[in-house]
Amino acid sequence: QAVCGFGSQDALPFRAIKEGELYFQEDREVNLVELALATNIPKGCAETTVRVHVSYLDGKGNLEPQGSVPSAVSTLTDELLKYYQHVTRAVLGDDPQLMKVALQDLQSNSKIAALLPYFVYVVKSVSHDLEQLNRLLHIARSLIQNPFLCLGSYVRSLISSVMYCALEPLAASINPLNDHWTLRDYAAMLLSRIFWSHGDLVSGLYHQILLSLQKVLADPVRPLCSHYGAVVGLHALGWK
């Protein structure tokens, strides 16, 4: 947590108690008389400082030393860029067999951690085209199934895109011949899978999802298709 005030840029000192492995911040005594009579009055609040410790795992699962940044994070190589272009074209293209191969590789490739934000951005680029939305959900499913990817803060973005597919009225919903119900069923299932497998990465995610679904369900202005998406979403999360 950031510490604001007129203090120094150094980290706060911690002391350990003798009775156990418990550490606390050591508050120094302040002479109020000296502070009141001081002539060097601060003119403004100092910049907020946060000391961060970052560790990376290399390709073999070993912890790299503090301060080192893997090449996959620092730079995006030509190979990764080409991989990203080929996968997105394959998934959004017209060849179903090529799409299947691309999705299978996306959920098992151990060297695409640097591309995670790029693929999450693709999933977020939602539209009203049912076929495209369905393929974007397939990308999201492959990402959460890849055991080599740590979604971290991207969980919230993925859930936002999935809930869009479940709750948004969509222009295609106007035509009764368009099967947007299957898309909402698939989005609800994926929402449950993301939550139960990665929900612990984001604090407060459980209540945020419930509030979003309940808000849509209780809104009489929303169309039936949005209410349906909220119902199947709640059902997919489980009776509890």
Side-chain angles (χ1 to χ4, degrees):
Q1 184 178 0
V3 180
C4 301
F6 299 107
S8 66
Q9 302 294 313
D10 297 330
L12 292 175
F14 282 82
R15 288 182 57 188
I17 62 174
K18 299 179 181 179
E19 289 75 12
E21 295 183 356
L22 180 63
Y23 298 84
F24 63 95
Q25 295 180 3
E26 182 180 10
D27 296 325
R28 62 182 181 87
E29 294 183 358
V30 178
N31 191 321
L32 295 180
V33 176
E34 293 182 357
L35 187 62
L37 299 178
T39 57
N40 56 335
I41 301 177
K43 295 182 179 181
C45 183
E47 293 185 2
T48 303
T49 59
V50 181
R51 178 161 296 186
V52 183
H53 179 90
V54 182
S55 298
Y56 293 101
L57 294 176
D58 61 14
K60 299 180 180 179
N62 300 317
L63 197 64
E64 294 190 353
Q66 166 72 8
S68 62
V69 180
S71 58
V73 176
S74 59
T75 57
L76 201 60
T77 62
D78 293 337
E79 290 77 10
L80 285 174
L81 187 58
K82 290 180 181 179
Y83 176 88
Y84 168 76
Q85 294 172 343
H86 288 319
V87 168
T88 51
R89 289 172 183 171
V91 174
L92 301 177
D94 300 327
D95 190 338
Q97 183 61 30
L98 194 60
M99 180 185 71
K100 182 179 179 180
V101 173
L103 291 173
Q104 287 178 345
D105 189 80
L106 194 60
Q107 71 181 35
S108 60
N109 198 313
S110 61
K111 302 177 181 179
I112 59 173
L115 291 175
L116 178 59
Y118 295 86
F119 283 118
V120 171
Y121 177 78
V122 170
V123 176
K124 288 188 66 178
S125 59
V126 291
S127 68
H128 282 252
D129 183 270
L130 292 179
E131 181 63 28
Q132 187 181 39
L133 289 173
N134 186 64
R135 297 187 181 197
L136 293 177
L137 289 181
H138 281 302
I139 294 179
R141 182 177 183 177
S142 296
L143 292 177
I144 66 173
Q145 288 182 328
N146 192 323
F148 303 102
L149 294 179
C150 179
L151 297 183
S153 59
Y154 297 110
V155 171
R156 197 179 297 275
S157 296
L158 286 175
I159 284 185
S160 175
S161 300
V162 171
M163 292 186 69
Y164 176 93
C165 296
L167 303 177
E168 188 68 17
L170 300 178
S173 305
I174 301 176
N175 189 344
L177 299 179
N178 292 329
D179 185 16
H180 58 94
W181 310 103
T182 302
L183 175 73
R184 301 182 194 279
D185 291 338
Y186 184 44
M189 179 275 297
L190 194 58
L191 175 67
S192 175
R193 177 168 296 186
I194 296 176
F195 173 74
W196 290 114
S197 60
H198 298 82
D200 55 343
L201 299 177
V202 181
S203 61
L205 189 62
Y206 176 74
H207 295 288
Q208 177 188 342
I209 293 176
L210 284 184
L211 287 176
S212 299
L213 295 176
Q214 291 172 355
K215 183 178 179 181
V216 172
L217 190 59
D219 188 354
V221 181
R222 290 274 191 157
L224 174 63
C225 56
S226 296
H227 288 163
Y228 176 84
V231 170
V232 294
L234 290 169
H235 177 71
L237 291 176
W239 63 271
K240 288 185 179 181

